[in-house]
């Protein structure tokens, strides 16, 4: 039975070969798809970015 279609958007990128090889190796070891790994990495990056932005806004607001 096939997996259900994902509600998503395709993203075509060109990354350094060394990064791709690390991604592929990690996915093989973890037993996950590259899509899942990239989605998780991006989500973590965005969450950390948002948290840093929130801190910067709070610090800026305190100065005034």
């Amino acid at each position: 039975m096939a997996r259900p279609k994902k509600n998503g958007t395709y993203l075509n990128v060109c990354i350094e070969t060394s990064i791709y090889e690390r991604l592929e190796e990690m996915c093989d070891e973890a037993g996950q798809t590259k899509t899942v790994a990239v989605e998780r990495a991006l989500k973590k990056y965005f969450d950390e970015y948002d948290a840093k932005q929130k801190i910067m806004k709070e610090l800026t607001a305190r100065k005034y």
Side-chain angles (χ1 to χ4, degrees):
M1 181 177 208
R3 285 185 285 191
K5 292 248 181 199
K6 184 178 199 168
N7 179 19
T9 302
Y10 287 94
L11 173 66
N12 185 12
V13 298
C14 182
I15 61 174
E16 290 181 25
T17 301
S18 61
I19 294 171
Y20 179 82
E21 289 169 349
R22 287 180 66 188
L23 173 65
E24 196 166 41
E25 183 179 322
M26 185 205 69
C27 289
D28 288 344
E29 289 174 7
Q32 68 183 8
T33 65
K34 289 184 280 295
T35 297
V36 168
V38 170
E39 285 179 329
R40 288 178 178 170
L42 285 171
K43 183 181 181 324
K44 183 175 180 180
Y45 176 82
F46 293 145
D47 290 347
E48 290 175 3
Y49 178 83
D50 291 343
K52 288 176 185 176
Q53 290 297 95
K54 182 179 177 185
I55 291 169
M56 292 301 293
K57 287 179 183 176
E58 289 172 358
L59 291 173
T60 302
R62 288 183 192 171
K63 290 182 180 179
Y64 299 107

